[in-house]
């Protein structure tokens, strides 16, 4: 049986033609990959013999890999598929149009316009027009009566324009993100062996039969079977929900699954399934199949949301989720995000997570709700007043009676009043806000690409502008990550530079070279420079590269040693991890004994040394007092020079009996020290300048590193993190923990609050310390403002801290897949200065939104007051519905385009961050808004009530229905638009600067929008005619209009001169939410911020309650189910794992293991099924296998409501 290998290929080659070339079919491999641990080993043994036999059937060599021949690769693509999971279909333009049409205000306008249209075509038969009173006056002119339809048609046309603009914006936004996603996917590479060469290829090019090298920090892109592994541990929580790491080995469990993370060790695997045939792909397929049924259900339950939500929801939920290439933090959520954008938010409130909503979005939503409410009240009051005035005047003052034939005319009046009311509402609701946010963010994201920031979550870009603290790694971010050994201590001599080989005793040199060559990852190597005269290329772990470079500097070569002892011959490997802080490799010696080589952080490894090689190369006893002396005389001076110290040691085990390799502590003791080296990693030249910029900008930079405290202190001083004569703290992880934890070992916030404000360097820290620090700073309430924290990380273990931070930066070059996945922004050049650029862009987004708000609110205040008072005094709005829509279009769409694309300037870094609770509208902005509103209202009302005298024209007030447009009202409309245009230039500055034209030429979009609007306004006034209620103006009248507009700029200078601090009555608006405002019962544990405005907006949505209800019932079902299964089992909290599936929030972790169902619970299944039917939940077949019962994650039937 064991020899059942490629000899049997022919009859085994299945009926499917495409699999005919290989000795195993897709289906067989797929079945094999569904098995785990012992079952899998048995199946491989019985059916194939061993893993190398599977390689032979797949025509691949475990050592050489595939040939890489294009024909062979094509055959493999044909037989086993490509490593590609097709993305979800993008929304079509028409779908986006349909979504834009769901806006309530637009629907109301459409209905009003259609009624108006219908009535304009209805002519009452005969009927004495006199009987209807003034209402009918002026309708005598036949031509005018015919033109009654124009207003209705014009409103419909405007609505179509608004809808198309919105849909186009959404469409281009989605297109941008898909482009971004594909870019990130292309950048994800994986290491494979082809033709005996180790190369990196894009993940999509992996084929079945490839031999892939896997190492700590990798996210596995395909399924595979282990060929050779060193101390390999995998986090399979994304598939099984089990948070414990699974140890992989050839004997016990060789199955490696796509979508899981390598947490420790390294190895090689043969790829056995790719794309849709891999475990991740199979789950995708299942999800895809159930999609269509869901959509039908969703359509039935769809309800349009309130008006303000239209563009808002997508900003985070509809889009950001789609652009997370590797996975999303919402992935563990039991709801499908794409269903109904309105439904998403409320349902998620079940477990509020930190990244629920960005600071800015929270403030904007709150503000939009407040403005929307005010607008609604104003518009309702306007309609009521107009109707009452008309009714009292017609039936009371004139004493007329309601005559049947006059009904259509009266109704037309009521419709006109209604249209005016809706128009007031349209102008009041700033639906341009979400658009401005989106444009500003999308523009910034595009530009940030050039500044080496790859933004994965849109809102991270804006949050970065609020950052008050940055916790940065040292290696690679602040330093160049190009390490070289510059000092060493061996054979009782401290060498201040690399010694000549002749100076070193032969035995020491021999053991040193062997130790370094063998006890380092074989994937780490030094390659010749790409360009003539360049530096050699370092591939793999940079510290190991430094040690290999040291071997080369000693005129030795590590490659022949590695060829003599290939990875297969290594007996046992303890790979480096953050708790060990060392790496050891065990070899079997010719005599039957064992030799172990170790290397690691000097103070940790030296503690385990009991001997040291003397000047003759002989081991002598190394006592604790010798060690202390060595620390004082060698290690501390090296560390104070900013060097990283590494100790290299070895240990021999006698041949008589094999030690127990699992007893790590006893194995890693009694070592013999060979050498201690000092590795230099120079500070990046541009970093000190960048850090001083951060400090000027009010951002505290802290260094969190695993390095020795003296090294860390020296580097921090060089960078400018530690300044002379300042009382800053530098501490080690151990001391940090003793200071912040109580007797029970729990972290106490009060204790942490005493430490973090002064802390600048945290050395010898573990990933847990980093996470504790970040969480402590974010949750802290000391100081005037709440802190917003950015964190950089590159290792797998930085995942939790990157997740917890407000903005997580992962390193694009040195970062592991796991770190990139947990991050919000990827630094493509691993450089700290790029973070400073991100801060600049973030602040710019914030300012752009504020500029837009200042402009928009001035327009809104003026337009609403003019429409309201005008309607009450003259029974007609001076600004007609179509004119209002035009104003709304230019003020919303075009202004958001103009003001949201202002490029950032260095001056943004000269002020302190805004913080979480800073209002969006500062008192200076409020002064500008009210100041300009006063100017505009005075001008408009002067023109409205005295304009006919000033310009010597006919009055436009109190005109009958369908009368021709008047010059008077055209001038009012034109002046209004001119004032907005010039005020748009004023809005470029929000901090009270005088020069509003500064750098205006740097923003061509702004200039073209302003000029374009001006040209369009000329066309509308001169040729707009009846639809726009305009009549052509003379050149004199035009000059007056422009002159009054320019007055805005002069008035702006006057407003700026008034000191804000004297205007005590000014209030700020658009605050963030503070924890104090949240009622106790609504604060779930660990909630950072809940957006009340959001809740208010959604309160009316029954769907939300229905969803909550359903989920509660489901949770009861699960709990009942669990307790009936394992009565003694404590139900662990549902821990959503850090790493969920790739980019798709629809994933639900499911155990792939075939579990045996205990017979006692067969009957409880019926009960469950009944409960599920009650809650209308679709059970998944996996439920019936009860796989998920053992997991701590969401059960599969919570997949979708």
């Amino acid at each position: 049986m064991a020899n059942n290998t490629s000899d049997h290929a022919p009859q085994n080659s299945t009926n499917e033609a495409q699999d005919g070339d290989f000795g195993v079919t897709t289906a067989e491999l797929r079945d094999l990959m569904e098995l785990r641990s012992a079952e899998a080993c048995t199946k491989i043994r019985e059916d194939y013999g061993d893993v190398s036999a599977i390689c032979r059937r797949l025509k691949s060599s475990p050592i050489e890999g595939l040939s890489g021949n294009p024909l062979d690769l094509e055959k493999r693509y044909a037989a086993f598929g490509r490593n590609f999971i097709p993305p979800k279909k993008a929304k079509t333009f028409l779908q986006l149009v349909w979504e834009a049409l769901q806006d309530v205000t637009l629907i109301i306008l459409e209905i009003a316009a259609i009624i108006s249209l219908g009535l304009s075509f209805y002519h009452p038969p005969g009927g004495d027009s006199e009987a209807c009173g003034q209402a009918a006056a002026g309708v005598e002119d036949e031509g005018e009566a015919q033109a009654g339809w124009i207003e209705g048609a014009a409103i419909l046309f405007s609505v179509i324009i608004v809808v198309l603009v919105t849909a186009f914006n959404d469409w281009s936004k989605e297109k941008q993100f898909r482009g971004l996603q594909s870019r990130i996917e292309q950048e994800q590479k994986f290491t494979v062996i082809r033709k005996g060469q180790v190369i990196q290829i894009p993940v999509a090019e992996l084929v079945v039969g490839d031999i892939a090298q896997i190492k700590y920090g990798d996210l596995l892109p395909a399924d595979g079977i282990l060929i050779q592994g060193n101390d390999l541990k995998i986090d399979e929580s994304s598939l099984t929900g089990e948070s414990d790491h699974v140890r992989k080995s050839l004997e016990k469990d060789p199955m490696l699954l796509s979508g899981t993370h390598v947490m420790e060790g390294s190895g090689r695997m043969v790829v056995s399934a790719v794309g849709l045939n891999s475990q991740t792909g199979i789950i995708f397929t299942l999800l895809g199949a159930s999609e269509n049924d869901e959509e039908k259900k969703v359509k039935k339950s769809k309800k349009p949301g309130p008006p303000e939500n239209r563009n808002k929801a997508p900003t985070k939920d509809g889009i950001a989720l789609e652009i997370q290439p590797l996975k999303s933090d919402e992935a563990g959520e039991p709801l499908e995000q794409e269903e109904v954008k309105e439904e998403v938010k409320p349902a998620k409130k079940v477990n509020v997570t930190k990244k629920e909503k960005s600071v800015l979005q929270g403030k904007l939503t709150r503000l939009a709700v407040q403005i929307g409410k005010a607008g609604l009240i104003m518009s309702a009051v306007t309609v009521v007043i107009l109707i009452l005035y008309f009714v009292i005047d017609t039936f009371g003052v004139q004493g007329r009676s309601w005559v049947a034939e006059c009904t259509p005319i009266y109704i037309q009046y009521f419709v006109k009043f209604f249209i005016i009311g809706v128009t007031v509402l349209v102008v009041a609701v700033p639906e341009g806000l979400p658009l401005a946010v989106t444009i500003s963010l999308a523009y910034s994201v595009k530009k940030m690409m050039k500044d080496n920031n790859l933004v994965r979550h849109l809102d991270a870009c804006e949050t970065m502008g609020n950052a008050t603290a940055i916790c940065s790694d040292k290696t690679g971010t602040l330093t160049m990550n190009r390490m070289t050994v510059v000092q060493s201590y061996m054979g009782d001599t401290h060498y201040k530079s690399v010694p000549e080989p002749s100076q070193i005793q032969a035995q020491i040199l021999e053991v040193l070279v062997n130790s370094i060559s063998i006890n380092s990852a074989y994937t780490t190597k030094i390659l010749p420079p790409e360009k003539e005269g360049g530096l050699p290329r370092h591939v793999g772990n940079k510290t190991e590269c430094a040690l290999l470079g040291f071997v080369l500097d000693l005129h030795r070569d590590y490659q022949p040693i590695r060829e003599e002892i290939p990875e297969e011959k290594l007996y046992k490997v303890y790979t480096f991890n953050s708790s060990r802080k060392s790496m050891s490799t065990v070899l079997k010696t010719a005599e039957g004994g064992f030799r172990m080589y170790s290397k690691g952080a000097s103070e940790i490894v030296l503690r385990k040394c009991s001997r040291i090689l003397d000047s003759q190369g002989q081991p002598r006893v190394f006592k604790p007092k010798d060690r202390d002396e060595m620390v004082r005389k060698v290690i501390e001076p090296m560390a104070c020079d900013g060097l990283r110290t590494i100790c290299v040691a070895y240990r021999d085990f006698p041949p008589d009996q094999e030690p127990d390799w699992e007893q790590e502590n006893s194995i890693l003791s009694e070592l013999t020290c060979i050498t201690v080296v000092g590795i230099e990693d120079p500070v990046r030249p541009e970093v000190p300048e960048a850090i001083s910029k951060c400090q000027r900008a009010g951002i505290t930079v802290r260094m969190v590193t695993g390095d020795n405290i003296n090294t860390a202190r020296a580097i921090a001083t060089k960078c400018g993190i530690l300044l002379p004569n300042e009382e800053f703290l530098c501490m080690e992880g151990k001391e940090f923990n003793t200071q912040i934890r109580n007797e029970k070992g729990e972290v106490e916030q009060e204790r942490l609050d005493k430490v973090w404000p002064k802390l600048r360097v945290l050395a010898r820290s573990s990933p847990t310390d980093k996470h504790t620090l970040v969480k402590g700073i974010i949750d802290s309430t000391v100081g005037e403002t709440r802190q917003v924290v950015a964190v950089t990380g590159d290792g797998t273990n930085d995942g939790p801290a990157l997740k917890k931070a407000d903005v997580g930066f992962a390193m694009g070059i040195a970062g592991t897949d796991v770190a990139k996945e947990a991050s919000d922004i990827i630094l493509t050049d691993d450089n700290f200065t790029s973070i400073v650029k991100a801060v600049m862009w973030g602040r710019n987004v914030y300012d752009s939104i504020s500029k837009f708000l200042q402009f928009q609110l001035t327009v809104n205040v003026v337009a609403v007051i003019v429409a309201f008072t005008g309607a009450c005094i003259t029974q007609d709005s001076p600004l007609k519905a179509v004119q209002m829509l035009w104003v709304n279009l230019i003020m919303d769409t075009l202004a958001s385009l103009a003001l949201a694309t202002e490029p950032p300037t260095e001056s943004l870094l000269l002020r302190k961050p805004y913080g979480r609770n800073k209002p969006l509208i500062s008192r200076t902005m409020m002064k500008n808004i009210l100041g300009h509103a006063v100017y505009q209202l005075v001008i408009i009302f002067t023109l409205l009530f005295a304009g006919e005298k000033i310009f010597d024209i006919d009055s436009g007030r109190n005109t009958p229905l369908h009368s021709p447009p008047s010059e008077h009202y055209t001038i009012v409309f034109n002046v209004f638009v001119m004032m907005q245009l010039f005020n748009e230039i004023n809005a470029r500055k929000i901090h009270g600067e005088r020069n509003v034209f500064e750098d205006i030429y740097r923003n061509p979009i702004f200039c073209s929008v302003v000029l374009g609007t001006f040209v369009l306004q000329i066309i509308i006034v001169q040729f707009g005619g009846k639809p726009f209620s305009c009549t052509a103006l003379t050149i004199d009248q035009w000059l007056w209009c422009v002159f009054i507009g320019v007055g805005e700029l002069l008035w702006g200078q006057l407003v700026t001169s008034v000191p804000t601090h004297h205007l005590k009555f000014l209030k700020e608006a658009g605050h963030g939410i503070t924890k104090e405002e949240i009622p106790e019962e609504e604060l779930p544990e660990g909630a950072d911020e809940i957006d009340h405005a959001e809740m208010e907006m959604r309160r009316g949505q029954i769907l939300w309650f229905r969803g909550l209800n359903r989920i509660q019932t489901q949770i009861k079902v699960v709990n009942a189910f669990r307790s009936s299964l394992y009565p003694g089992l404590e139900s662990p909290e549902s821990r959503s794992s850090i790493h969920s599936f790739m980019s798709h929030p629809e994933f639900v972790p499911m155990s792939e293991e075939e579990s045996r169902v205990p017979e006692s619970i067969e009957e409880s299944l019926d009960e469950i099924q009944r409960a599920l039917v009650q809650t209308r939940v679709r059970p998944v077949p996996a439920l019936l296998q009860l796989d998920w019962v053992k997991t701590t994650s969401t059960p599969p039937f919570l997949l979708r409501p």
Side-chain angles (χ1 to χ4, degrees), residues 348-642:
K348 277 198 181 156
K349 283 286 183 286
V350 181
N351 50 346
V352 179
T353 55
K354 184 233 21 169
K355 294 209 172 147
E356 220 33 65
K357 193 159 224 212
S358 73
V359 184
L360 181 64
Q361 261 177 300
K363 292 177 182 178
L364 280 176
T365 311
R366 244 174 117 88
L367 193 66
V369 171
Q370 291 161 353
I371 297 172
K373 279 183 179 169
L376 199 61
I377 294 165
M378 290 290 276
S379 67
V381 172
T382 311
V383 174
V384 170
I385 289 177
L386 282 170
I387 291 177
L388 283 176
Y389 194 105
F390 175 76
V391 170
I392 292 168
D393 186 54
T394 309
F395 303 118
V397 180
Q398 297 179 28
R400 303 194 176 273
S401 54
W402 186 295
V403 191
E405 56 263 26
C406 293
T407 307
I409 291 177
Y410 293 148
I411 289 180
Q412 251 176 312
Y413 261 97
F414 290 147
V415 168
K416 179 178 155 188
F417 298 152
F418 184 60
I419 288 178
I420 291 170
V422 173
T423 312
V424 172
L425 178 66
V426 169
V427 175
V429 174
E431 62 271 51
L433 263 184
L435 188 62
V437 177
T438 309
I439 290 177
S440 181
L441 288 175
Y443 171 75
S444 303
V445 166
K446 218 168 177 177
K447 294 286 186 195
M448 281 169 81
M449 287 273 215
K450 293 188 179 131
D451 285 340
N452 303 308
N453 284 292
L454 186 68
V455 181
R456 292 186 56 230
H457 299 150
L458 253 197
D459 56 359
C461 156
E462 148 263 312
T463 312
M464 204 46 222
N466 285 318
T468 54
I470 298 174
C471 294
S472 172
D473 273 358
K474 175 180 76 71
T475 309
T477 313
L478 300 173
T479 60
M480 291 169 79
N481 204 9
R482 177 158 189 104
M483 302 199 187
T484 41
V485 173
V486 290
Q487 294 187 24
S488 55
Y489 177 90
M490 57 185 133
D492 294 341
T493 316
H494 185 168
Y495 299 98
K496 290 291 170 84
S497 58
V498 177
E500 284 299 314
S502 54
Q503 293 173 270
I504 304 168
Q505 189 67 31
Q507 289 105 306
I508 299 181
L509 192 57
E510 183 65 24
V511 70
L512 173 69
V513 171
N514 280 341
S515 176
I516 292 174
S517 307
I518 294 164
N519 185 31
S520 57
Y522 279 27
T523 48
T524 304
K525 22 172 132 34
I526 294 183
L527 302 176
E530 281 176 342
K531 290 191 205 77
E532 199 64 39
L535 291 167
R537 282 180 298 152
H538 287 184
V539 178
N541 182 305
K542 298 295 187 270
T543 312
E544 289 182 349
C545 285
L547 291 169
L548 292 175
F550 185 48
V551 169
L552 297 176
D553 290 343
L554 293 169
H555 308 307
R556 294 284 188 279
D557 191 359
Y558 59 85
Q559 202 53 47
I561 300 171
R562 286 182 172 183
E563 281 162 9
E564 191 185 321
I565 304 169
E567 265 183 294
E568 293 75 50
K569 286 198 185 165
L570 304 180
Y571 194 79
K572 170 88 184 147
V573 179
Y574 299 96
T575 50
F576 180 90
N577 66 24
S578 53
S579 51
R580 275 190 199 126
K581 290 214 185 304
S582 68
M583 172 182 177
S584 309
T585 304
V586 182
L587 292 178
K588 203 164 181 150
T589 58
E591 297 80 53
F594 299 93
R595 170 168 278 197
M596 177 177 76
Y597 293 116
S598 287
K599 68 164 189 291
S602 56
E603 54 267 56
I604 291 169
V605 177
L606 276 178
R607 237 177 269 139
K608 297 174 179 171
C609 289
S610 58
R611 290 181 191 76
I612 186 166
L613 296 180
D614 62 14
S615 53
Q616 299 309 309
Q618 297 308 315
R620 66 172 158 82
V621 177
F622 186 61
K623 297 199 183 82
K625 70 171 199 306
D626 301 333
R627 185 177 70 234
D628 295 343
E629 189 184 355
M630 183 158 172
V631 167
R632 204 172 58 253
K633 290 192 171 166
V634 178
I635 292 174
E636 282 185 2
M638 281 187 186
C640 292
D641 292 341

Side-chain angles (χ1 to χ4, degrees), residues 841-1091:
W841 276 107
R843 292 187 172 191
N844 192 52
V845 167
Y846 218 88
D847 279 8
S848 298
I849 302 303
S850 295
K851 288 171 189 174
F852 175 69
L853 262 175
Q854 176 176 309
F855 173 67
Q856 168 94 45
L857 292 181
T858 312
V859 180
N860 286 10
V861 168
V862 175
V864 169
I865 293 176
V866 167
F868 176 71
T869 39
C872 299
I873 297 168
T874 67
Q875 288 88 65
D876 186 7
S877 166
L879 298 172
K880 301 291 179 282
V882 179
Q883 294 175 351
M884 288 273 212
L885 281 171
W886 160 238
V887 168
N888 211 33
L889 187 76
I890 61 167
M891 299 320 150
D892 277 358
T893 308
L894 299 176
S896 59
L897 194 67
L899 292 168
T901 52
E902 288 269 316
T905 57
E906 286 281 336
S907 60
L908 286 168
L909 294 175
L910 299 177
R911 60 168 174 77
K912 298 276 175 275
Y914 284 147
R916 279 179 203 269
N917 308 334
K918 165 89 167 58
L920 268 178
I921 300 172
S922 63
R923 289 178 56 185
T924 310
M925 286 168 63
M926 197 55 106
K927 176 187 76 178
N928 291 343
I929 291 170
L930 296 177
H932 288 291
V934 167
Y935 173 81
Q936 295 187 11
L937 286 170
V938 168
I939 297 278
I940 295 279
F941 284 129
T942 308
L943 287 176
L944 192 57
F945 297 110
E948 69 272 28
K949 297 187 185 70
I950 299 170
F951 285 101
D952 192 22
I953 46 177
D954 296 332
S955 168
R957 295 191 299 284
N958 300 326
T959 49
L961 202 63
H962 300 322
S963 56
S966 64
E967 269 185 300
H968 182 193
Y969 272 18
T970 305
I971 289 177
V972 172
F973 166 58
N974 201 21
V975 165
F976 179 70
V977 172
M978 286 301 125
M979 290 194 297
Q980 304 320 329
L981 260 186
F982 286 98
N983 193 30
E984 198 166 335
I985 299 173
N986 276 331
R988 291 184 69 239
K989 300 293 173 198
I990 49 172
H991 298 299
E993 299 93 328
R994 286 215 175 268
N995 181 4
V996 290
F997 290 101
E998 186 188 357
D999 284 341
I1000 198 164
Y1001 57 85
R1002 279 182 62 207
N1003 189 355
I1005 299 180
F1006 184 88
C1007 301
S1008 45
V1009 164
V1010 172
L1011 289 172
T1013 312
F1014 189 67
V1015 171
L1016 278 171
Q1017 180 64 15
I1018 294 175
I1019 294 170
I1020 286 174
V1021 170
Q1022 296 304 101
F1023 311 105
K1026 183 75 186 169
F1028 279 96
S1029 311
C1030 287
T1031 181
L1033 299 179
T1034 63
I1035 190 81
D1036 287 2
Q1037 291 165 336
W1038 262 104
L1039 287 172
W1040 274 110
C1041 292
V1042 174
F1043 175 70
I1044 295 171
V1046 173
E1048 262 292 349
L1049 294 174
L1050 306 172
W1051 180 257
Q1053 294 299 314
L1054 196 68
V1055 172
T1056 309
S1057 308
V1058 179
T1060 312
H1061 56 86
H1062 289 332
L1063 307 173
K1064 294 274 182 275
F1065 62 89
L1066 287 178
K1067 288 275 182 290
E1068 300 161 321
H1071 284 268
I1073 190 146
T1074 57
K1075 279 199 173 165
E1076 293 72 60
E1077 293 174 49
I1078 304 172
E1080 287 292 305
E1081 68 277 7
E1082 286 180 13
L1083 244 183
E1085 232 176 300
D1088 286 342
E1089 257 172 73
I1090 300 181
D1091 206 305

Side-chain angles (χ1 to χ4, degrees), residues 31-79:
D31 294 343
L32 178 62
M33 290 317 294
E34 278 168 12
L35 303 175
R36 298 284 171 277
S37 50
E39 288 181 3
C41 295
T42 317
K43 173 92 172 158
I44 292 174
R45 249 197 330 277
E46 288 174 359
D47 290 11
Y48 303 98
D50 59 6
V51 182
S52 53
I54 296 179
C55 292
R56 283 201 292 281
R57 288 191 181 203
L58 289 170
K59 301 191 176 169
S60 175
S61 149
I63 310 292
E64 294 284 311
L66 296 178
S67 64
N69 173 355
L71 284 172
D72 176 49
L73 295 180
E74 277 309 318
K75 264 189 201 163
R76 289 174 194 275
Y77 286 141

Side-chain angles (χ1 to χ4, degrees), residues 160-202:
I160 290 169
I161 296 283
V162 171
V163 165
L164 288 177
V165 168
T166 310
F168 178 74
N169 273 303
D170 285 347
W171 177 78
S172 57
K173 190 165 66 182
E174 203 154 297
K175 185 165 153 258
Q176 251 180 348
F177 287 125
R178 290 195 178 267
L180 180 63
Q181 181 172 350
S182 63
R183 171 167 171 180
I184 295 177
E185 279 169 358
Q186 281 159 13
E187 287 195 350
Q188 204 188 344
K189 291 198 157 59
F190 209 69
T191 312
V192 296
I193 301 174
R194 288 194 179 166
K195 276 203 265 187
Q197 293 292 314
V198 178
I199 58 165
Q200 286 208 322
I201 59 168

